[in-house]
């Protein structure tokens, strides 16, 4: 198992308080860990490194259950590795969160009756920094509350000096390599945030809209087109048909009248058009639709932008100045007056893009933006997973990853914001374009006609550098040399596309094909106990700090870890946190009992032959649990390892071993000393195993038990290989006897503490040495002279004869059971009748039928159980 390397001092004699009070322990204990430098990594250490960088939460954020969930898992991984002797770095930091943070400050200004334009760019940026200093980073303090063992000496921010230098450096490198370029393309534009957003920042949902069929042209040169965005017709510059569609062959190459305008537009032939869909003719608006833009490029069509950045129409008199949705209704009305509305379908449910941040309907818009050319970068990101350099866990997430990375479009990285990393490109008075690196001089002054690009970079551009920029890149720092590549990235499967792919592309590019992380452990989302998504707009949203206040941080952590199946969503409810609090209390009370009854870690373990079978059994189970927990950790099976630890600690150690050993402790002597040392060993190892998930209660108990300095740097347990199959079989039989007799007692209505005369026939069985324990646990008193066996239970090769004549009213019990049996038989008859009725089965929903089948199965179980109870009752 493990040596007690920190036990220079004997275990203290001070008793533990009768109850565990997390609020009195957690804060001071965490600060002690930090002050003593347990979480600070040493780049000069000769130990093997283990590195995790925290997914940087936004400076706008507060701790929510999703953060607490992932932080719990990362903390468990790093605490275990630290105990295993690795030089462990878990690096903290925050993201400047461009759009989200700018929106917060603009809301603050609006409350003062101001806008960012009123302040100007420089003053507004100063205001955001003030906001960041005042409100940002609250979540970092809350992470301390959760017990996160982060190296605070290395805390980073995506806009600090070092990371800003990294951003400017990689932009310059990509630009010089032809992988960053500026071009007019159709982008996703948010009229509320007033900026471009990338494809992955668009949420698509089915909206109720309208599909309107409109007639263009006159006479024989009439074409009917259908659209859900009627307002964009003002920017149509063509109608497209399939080149093989004979219906329109006579129109290809001609120009037809565009209604409501004084323009004519051409009819073009393009294979993109599906002749089987609708009328086989489509309107082409190159400046407001990505497919139309591609058609426009192929046919050299004009691109007309017809609305401004806020979605307001900027062309054609009667509609100019109208919001895009107001214009939609007005144009339909005008077309109807001219008899050009051929058909209208309302509601017409179709997929519509919305800004992921503010939920505003996104507007496709032709715009001059900066782009990353992703083809070679994305291929490298895909290859790193395909060739095994990076493992996705669970493996079935690979398909989603490849579906995205193999079909990645060029990435629009410019944002029309003031908060963020400003694009390091300068424009000269004579059309010069100069990209400036961090060590390059600015090419000229404003007075000389030089101006810097107004846009800032997408937030994900800087966070894509996070695994190496936080370690000092582009400088060749000791941290970068020691701790890169990082070992594990723990993040939600919902940001594979936002963040994981970006880090893969940039890491492989900047770090000469070194992957940014070796494993990506993908988690699901935290949901409420009914599986519903938690949202601030719903009453199911939970502040984890409230639960930590009520039940302790360990309880929240253990609940989250228990639900952490790889890649799967995590349901959580308050009752489950209460149950985890009860587990922490159970650990506390059992350890307190053990300390009061001679549990010790002093000296070596006794030889197996000096131990009882119960001692050998628990040590065998302990070593199996160590091996099992290690295997689950290595496979990121947090739910399974938590479950294994829970059942080992509660069921096997506290409910069985401690109870079975009470007689030994009560009798005292040499055997009690042996069992006390075994119990100390079991508690020592169990607390070590539990520590990464529930660090506070285990630290308090372990230091009291062992006198050691801290569990944070204690040695992780090792499987010693000790197994005792015979002892395990013996104790399993003992458990079977005790469980069966307890069940019988409960069936007869006996109170748990009620004593019953009993004769135990254990001769010739392995249970003979356990008679005292059996009697103690089952409340069985010795048989007297007037003993009369009224019930005999053959179990585990032994016989337990009980005298119940003075403990229960047999006649009353038979009457009660007969009444229960009649009710169960009636329930069975009703369920059987319904399931045998063909007419009922034909009409009833499947769920109803399943429910009745369940009632029948339950009735059968009840009948069998009651009949067995009646058979076991003594004769009246």
């Amino acid at each position: 198992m493990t040596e007690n390397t920190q036990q220079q001092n004997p275990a203290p004699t001070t008793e533990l308080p009768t109850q565990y009070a997390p609020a009195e322990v957690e804060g001071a204990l965490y600060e002690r860990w930090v002050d003593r430098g347990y979480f600070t990594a040493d780049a000069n250490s000769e130990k093997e490194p283990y590195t995790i960088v925290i997914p940087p939460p936004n400076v706008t954020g507060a701790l929510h259950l999703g953060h607490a969930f992932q932080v719990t898992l990362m903390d468990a991984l790093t605490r275990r590795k630290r105990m295993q002797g690795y030089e462990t770095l878990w690096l903290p930091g925050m993201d400047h969160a461009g759009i989200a943070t700018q929106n917060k400050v603009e809301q603050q200004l609006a409350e003062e009756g101001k806008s960012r334009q009123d302040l100007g760019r420089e003053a507004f940026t100063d205001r955001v920094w003030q906001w960041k200093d005042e409100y940002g980073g609250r979540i970092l303090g809350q992470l301390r509350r959760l017990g996160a063992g982060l190296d605070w000496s290395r805390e980073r921010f995506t806009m600090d000096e070092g990371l800003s230098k990294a951003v400017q450096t990689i932009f310059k490198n990509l630009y010089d390599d032809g992988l960053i370029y500026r071009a007019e393309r159709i982008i996703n534009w948010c009229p509320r945030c007033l900026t471009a957003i990338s494809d992955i920042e668009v949420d698509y949902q089915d909206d109720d809209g309208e599909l309107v069929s409109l007639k263009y042209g006159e006479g024989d040169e009439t074409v009917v087109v259908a659209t859900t965005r009627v307002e964009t017709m003002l920017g149509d510059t063509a109608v497209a048909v399939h080149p093989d569609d004979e219906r329109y062959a006579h129109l290809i190459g001609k120009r037809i009248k565009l209604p409501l305008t004084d323009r004519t537009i051409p009819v073009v032939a393009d294979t993109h058009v599906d002749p089987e869909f609708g009328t086989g003719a489509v309107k082409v608006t190159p400046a407001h639709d990505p497919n139309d833009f591609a058609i426009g490029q192929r046919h050299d069509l004009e691109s007309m932008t017809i609305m401004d950045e806020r979605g307001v129409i900027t062309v054609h008199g009667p509609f100019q100045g109208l919001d895009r949705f107001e214009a939609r209704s007005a144009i339909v009305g005008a077309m109807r007056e001219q008899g050009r509305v051929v058909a209208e379908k309302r509601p017409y449910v179709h997929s519509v893009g919305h800004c992921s941040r503010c939920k505003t309907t996104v507007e496709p818009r032709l715009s001059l933006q900066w782009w990353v050319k992703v083809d070679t970068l994305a291929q490298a990101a895909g290859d790193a997973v395909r060739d095994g350099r990076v493992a996705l866990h669970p493996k079935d997430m690979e398909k989603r990853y490849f579906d995205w990375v193999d079909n990645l479009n060029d990435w629009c990285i410019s944002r029309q914001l003031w908060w963020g990393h400003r694009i390091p490109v300068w424009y000269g008075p004579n059309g010069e374009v100069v990209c400036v690196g961090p060590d390059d001089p600015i090419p000229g002054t404003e007075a000389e006609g030089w101006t810097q690009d107004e846009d800032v970079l997408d937030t994900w551009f800087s966070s894509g550098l996070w695994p190496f920029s936080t370690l000092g890149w582009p400088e060749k720092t000791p941290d970068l040399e020691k701790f890169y590549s990082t070992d594990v990235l723990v993040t939600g499967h919902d940001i594979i596309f936002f963040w994981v792919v970006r880090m893969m592309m940039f890491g492989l590019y900047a770090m000469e094909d070194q992957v940014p992380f070796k494993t990506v452990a993908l988690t699901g989302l935290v949901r409420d106990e009914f599986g519903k998504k938690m949202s601030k707009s719903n009453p199911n949203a939970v502040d984890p700090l409230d639960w930590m206040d009520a039940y302790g941080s360990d309880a929240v952590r253990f609940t989250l870890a228990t639900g952490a199946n790889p890649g799967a969503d995590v349901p959580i409810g308050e009752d489950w946190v209460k149950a985890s609090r009860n587990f922490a209390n159970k650990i506390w009370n059992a350890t307190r009992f053990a300390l009061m009854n001679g549990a010790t870690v002093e000296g070596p373990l006794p030889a197996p032959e000096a131990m009882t079978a119960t001692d050998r059994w628990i040590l065998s189970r302990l070593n199996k649990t160590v091996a099992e927990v290690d295997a689950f950790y290595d496979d990121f099976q947090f739910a399974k390892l938590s479950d294994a630890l829970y059942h080992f600690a509660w069921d096997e150690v506290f409910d069985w071993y401690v109870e079975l050993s009470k007689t030994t402790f009560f009798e005292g002597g040499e055997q009690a000393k042996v069992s006390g040392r075994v119990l100390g060993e079991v508690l020592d190892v169990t607390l070590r195993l539990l520590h990464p998930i529930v660090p506070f209660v285990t630290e308090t108990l372990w230091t009291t038990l062992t006198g050691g300095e801290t569990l944070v740097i204690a040695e992780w347990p090792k499987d010693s290989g000790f197994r005792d199959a015979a002892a395990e079989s013996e104790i399993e039989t003992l458990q079977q006897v005790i469980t069966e007799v307890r069940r019988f007692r409960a069936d007869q209505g006996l109170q748990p503490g009620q004593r019953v005369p009993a004769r135990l026939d254990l001769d010739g069985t392995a249970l003979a040495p356990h008679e005292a324990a059996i009697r103690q646990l089952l409340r069985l008193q010795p048989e007297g002279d007037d003993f009369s066996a009224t019930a005999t239970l053959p179990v585990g090769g032994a016989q337990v004869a009980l005298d119940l004549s003075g403990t229960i009213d047999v006649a009353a019990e038979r009457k009660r059971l007969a009444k229960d049996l009649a009710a169960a038989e009636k329930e069975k008859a009703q369920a059987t009748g319904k399931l045998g009725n063909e007419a009922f089965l034909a009409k009833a929903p499947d769920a109803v039928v399943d429910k009745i089948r369940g009632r029948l199965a339950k009735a059968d179980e009840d009948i069998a159980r009651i009949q067995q109870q009646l058979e076991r009752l003594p004769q009246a």
Side-chain angles (χ1 to χ4, degrees):
M1 282 160 277
T2 182
E3 296 179 4
N4 295 307
T5 55
Q6 298 182 63
Q7 292 169 17
Q8 296 86 359
N9 303 317
T13 57
T14 305
E15 291 187 1
L16 289 165
T18 56
Q19 290 184 324
Y20 177 51
E24 297 175 12
V25 171
E26 293 175 351
L29 190 51
Y30 185 83
E31 292 309 317
R32 176 174 172 266
W33 290 334
V34 173
D35 291 344
R36 295 195 176 188
Y38 296 144
F39 304 141
T40 304
D42 181 2
N44 297 314
S45 168
E46 294 183 359
K47 296 179 182 178
E48 185 178 347
Y50 183 83
T51 313
I52 292 181
V53 292
I54 196 170
N58 294 347
V59 291
T60 58
L63 186 70
H64 58 66
L65 278 172
H67 289 130
F69 171 50
Q70 292 180 0
V71 165
T72 295
L73 305 189
M74 287 182 276
D75 197 34
L77 290 171
T78 51
R79 282 181 183 270
R80 172 176 175 255
K81 286 295 183 180
R82 192 179 291 112
M83 294 173 74
Q84 287 181 319
Y86 288 79
E87 192 60 42
T88 303
L89 170 60
W90 185 20
L91 193 147
M94 300 290 290
D95 195 308
H96 67 280
I99 294 177
T101 307
Q102 178 158 318
N103 283 347
K104 288 281 188 181
V105 178
E106 288 197 80
Q107 290 168 13
Q108 195 178 63
L109 287 174
E111 293 172 2
E112 302 170 10
K114 299 176 183 178
S115 69
R116 61 174 161 135
Q117 286 76 17
D118 293 332
L119 270 65
R121 183 167 192 148
E122 186 175 347
F124 176 78
T125 303
D126 289 343
R127 179 70 177 260
V128 182
W129 276 107
Q130 293 170 19
W131 189 94
K132 182 261 178 186
D133 292 340
E134 184 174 354
Y135 297 101
R138 286 175 298 169
I139 194 171
L140 296 181
Q142 293 164 347
L143 294 179
R144 299 169 83 98
R145 175 74 189 282
L146 190 63
L150 291 150
D151 183 349
W152 296 107
S153 70
R154 287 176 165 87
E155 181 186 336
R156 303 306 299 268
F157 177 52
T158 50
M159 284 184 64
D160 67 28
E161 183 178 354
L163 268 65
S164 295
K165 180 178 182 180
V167 168
Q168 197 171 351
T169 299
I170 200 163
F171 187 100
K172 169 72 170 171
N173 293 347
L174 290 164
Y175 180 88
D176 290 346
D177 287 344
L179 296 176
I180 283 183
Y181 64 94
R182 196 182 191 210
E184 265 199 328
R185 298 274 186 85
I186 293 287
I187 48 92
N188 305 296
W189 181 266
C190 177
R192 158 64 183 80
C193 297
L194 299 181
T195 183
I197 57 177
S198 65
D199 292 343
I200 54 178
E201 294 170 299
V202 179
D203 292 337
Y204 286 91
Q205 66 185 50
D206 288 340
D207 286 359
D208 286 344
E210 58 183 346
L211 180 66
V212 183
S213 298
L214 305 172
K215 183 169 62 176
Y216 285 13
E218 302 289 349
D220 293 337
E221 296 181 351
T222 296
V223 177
V224 175
V225 298
T227 181
T228 58
R229 299 168 67 222
V230 174
E231 68 279 7
T232 63
M233 68 155 292
L234 299 176
D236 286 357
T237 56
V239 170
V241 298
H242 194 277
D244 299 331
D245 194 334
E246 295 181 358
R247 293 172 296 175
Y248 303 112
H250 66 292
L251 290 179
I252 295 173
K254 292 186 178 181
R255 299 184 72 88
I256 61 174
K257 180 77 167 57
L258 179 65
L260 305 183
T261 73
D262 56 2
R263 295 190 291 117
T264 62
I265 57 177
V267 177
V268 300
D270 197 283
T271 55
H272 170 76
V273 179
D274 181 0
E276 302 298 323
F277 183 77
T279 64
V282 297
K283 59 190 286 299
V284 181
T285 319
H288 293 277
D289 183 273
N291 293 322
D292 292 2
F293 178 76
I295 293 174
Q297 292 287 94
R298 288 193 289 272
H299 298 277
D300 198 24
L301 300 176
E302 181 185 2
S303 295
M304 292 183 59
T305 299
I306 61 156
M307 61 183 81
D308 67 12
E309 59 185 11
R310 297 183 183 276
V312 174
I313 302 298
T314 57
V315 299
H316 200 71
F319 310 110
Q320 192 168 355
L322 294 180
D323 172 80
R324 53 187 168 154
F325 301 120
E326 295 172 336
R328 182 176 299 174
S329 298
I331 290 172
V332 170
M335 292 287 277
R336 190 181 294 115
E337 288 180 6
Q338 293 188 8
R340 292 185 174 275
V341 176
V342 177
E344 297 177 75
K345 185 176 181 180
R346 296 190 186 89
Y348 179 73
V349 179
H350 63 129
S351 182
V352 177
H354 297 261
C355 174
S356 62
R357 290 178 176 84
C358 70
K359 310 309 176 188
T360 300
T361 299
V362 167
E363 190 64 40
R365 188 168 189 249
L366 185 63
S367 182
L368 183 63
Q369 301 284 347
W370 286 95
W371 303 81
V372 173
K373 187 177 181 181
V374 301
D375 50 1
T376 58
L377 300 174
Q379 181 176 339
D383 289 346
V385 174
R386 287 189 172 93
D387 63 24
R389 283 176 290 155
V390 176
L392 295 190
H393 192 89
K395 190 174 177 61
D396 59 16
M397 286 289 176
E398 286 185 2
K399 184 180 185 303
R400 292 181 62 185
Y401 178 84
F402 292 135
D403 285 347
W404 183 261
V405 79
D406 292 345
N407 298 285
L408 202 59
N409 296 319
D410 284 1
W411 172 19
C412 178
I413 56 171
S414 45
R415 298 291 180 268
Q416 289 64 56
L417 305 171
W418 288 354
W419 172 245
H421 296 99
R422 195 161 173 182
I423 288 176
V425 172
W426 292 73
Y427 305 107
N430 299 311
E432 300 96 335
V433 179
V434 178
C435 181
V436 176
D439 299 320
D440 299 335
I442 294 172
T445 66
E446 189 172 330
E448 296 169 339
W450 285 88
T451 58
Q452 186 176 0
D453 195 295
E454 293 288 323
D455 291 348
V456 300
L457 288 163
D458 178 10
T459 293
W460 297 102
F461 190 95
S462 53
S463 58
L465 315 181
W466 190 250
F468 52 95
S469 64
T470 51
L471 297 173
W473 187 90
E475 307 301 328
K476 293 183 177 180
T477 63
D479 276 1
L480 192 64
E481 182 177 352
K482 177 74 174 179
F483 296 111
Y484 191 88
S485 299
T486 69
D487 287 87
V488 181
L489 173 72
V490 178
T491 192
H493 61 65
D494 56 323
I495 60 170
I496 291 178
F497 322 122
F498 285 92
W499 192 40
V500 177
V501 172
R502 311 299 195 206
M503 287 188 288
M504 289 282 282
M505 292 193 302
F506 282 169
L508 291 164
Y509 171 80
M511 295 299 296
E512 299 176 351
D513 287 334
Q514 278 186 277
V515 295
F517 24 73
K518 302 177 184 76
T519 300
V520 181
L522 294 163
T523 69
L525 306 177
V526 177
R527 298 182 179 273
D528 71 12
E529 59 194 303
F530 305 107
K532 295 181 180 178
K533 183 177 180 180
M534 288 190 178
S535 169
K536 291 180 181 178
S537 59
N538 293 332
N540 66 350
V542 173
D543 184 345
L545 294 174
D546 292 340
W547 282 352
M548 284 189 271
D549 287 341
Y551 309 112
S553 298
D554 284 334
V556 175
R557 291 170 60 113
F558 192 76
T559 305
L560 291 165
T562 303
N565 290 298
D569 289 347
V570 183
I572 185 171
E574 188 166 7
D575 285 346
W576 304 345
V577 184
K578 290 179 182 177
S580 295
R581 183 270 316 273
N582 295 343
F583 179 49
N585 288 341
K586 182 77 170 181
I587 301 169
W588 182 272
N589 292 333
T591 305
R592 184 170 176 272
F593 168 85
L595 288 169
M596 290 165 43
N597 285 273
T600 179
V601 296
E602 293 184 65
L605 274 174
E609 53 269 22
M611 300 179 188
T612 65
T614 308
D615 294 334
R616 297 193 303 276
W617 162 74
I618 197 63
L619 288 176
S620 184
R621 290 294 307 128
L622 176 66
N623 279 281
K624 284 185 177 179
T625 301
V626 170
E628 191 175 31
V629 167
D630 274 333
F632 286 143
Y633 261 116
D634 292 341
D635 199 33
F636 303 99
Q637 297 281 359
F638 295 97
K640 290 182 179 179
L641 72 89
S642 300
D643 188 63
L645 285 170
Y646 175 90
H647 287 293
F648 175 72
W650 191 306
D651 299 344
E652 298 188 283
V653 179
F654 305 144
D655 278 358
W656 282 110
Y657 180 71
V658 169
E659 292 298 320
L660 289 171
S661 301
K662 280 184 177 178
T663 303
T664 302
F665 291 135
F666 178 75
E667 293 174 350
E670 197 60 34
Q671 195 61 63
K673 292 180 181 178
V674 170
S675 293
R677 179 64 187 89
V678 170
L679 179 54
E681 180 76 10
V682 171
L683 287 174
D684 175 16
V685 174
T686 302
L687 292 170
R688 292 175 193 247
L689 291 173
L690 283 165
H691 178 72
I693 297 176
V694 284
F696 293 109
V697 67
T698 52
E699 172 86 343
T700 306
L701 294 173
W702 186 85
T703 52
T704 303
L705 171 71
T706 69
E709 176 188 343
T710 177
L711 260 178
V712 178
I713 54 173
E715 185 180 345
W716 180 253
K718 296 182 179 69
D719 175 10
S720 71
F722 178 81
R723 302 287 190 275
D724 193 322
E728 289 198 43
S729 177
E730 181 175 326
I731 301 305
E732 284 172 10
T733 302
L734 176 60
Q735 291 171 325
Q736 182 185 358
V737 171
I738 292 170
T739 301
E740 187 64 25
V741 176
R742 278 175 173 168
R743 184 182 297 117
F744 176 75
R745 286 176 56 108
D747 288 344
Q748 307 312 312
L750 297 176
Q751 296 299 314
Q754 190 171 352
R755 293 196 165 274
V756 177
R759 177 190 300 134
L760 304 184
D761 184 2
L762 308 177
D763 291 344
T765 74
L767 300 177
H770 302 286
E771 179 170 353
I774 292 173
R775 288 189 178 277
Q776 172 65 26
L777 291 175
L778 292 173
R779 302 294 188 268
L780 303 178
Q781 64 190 43
E783 56 187 295
D785 294 338
D786 57 349
F787 178 83
S788 175
T790 57
T792 301
L793 305 178
V795 58
Q799 284 197 336
V800 179
L802 304 175
D803 181 357
L804 304 179
S805 57
T807 57
I808 61 173
D809 185 335
V810 176
E813 186 64 12
R814 282 189 176 279
K815 185 176 180 180
R816 182 185 70 81
L817 289 172
K819 182 178 179 181
D820 290 347
L821 180 61
E825 289 174 335
K826 180 179 180 181
E827 174 74 1
K828 178 178 180 177
Q830 290 176 341
T832 302
K834 286 187 176 181
L835 292 174
N837 186 333
E838 294 296 334
F840 170 78
L841 293 176
K843 294 179 181 179
D846 291 344
V848 173
V849 176
D850 289 343
K851 186 175 182 180
I852 293 172
R853 287 190 179 121
R855 285 168 49 192
L856 177 60
K858 176 68 166 54
D860 281 335
E861 290 175 6
D862 289 345
I863 291 169
R865 175 179 53 79
I866 295 168
Q867 287 175 338
Q868 187 180 53
Q869 289 177 243
L870 283 167
E871 290 171 3
R872 286 178 166 179
L873 274 176
Q875 297 301 314

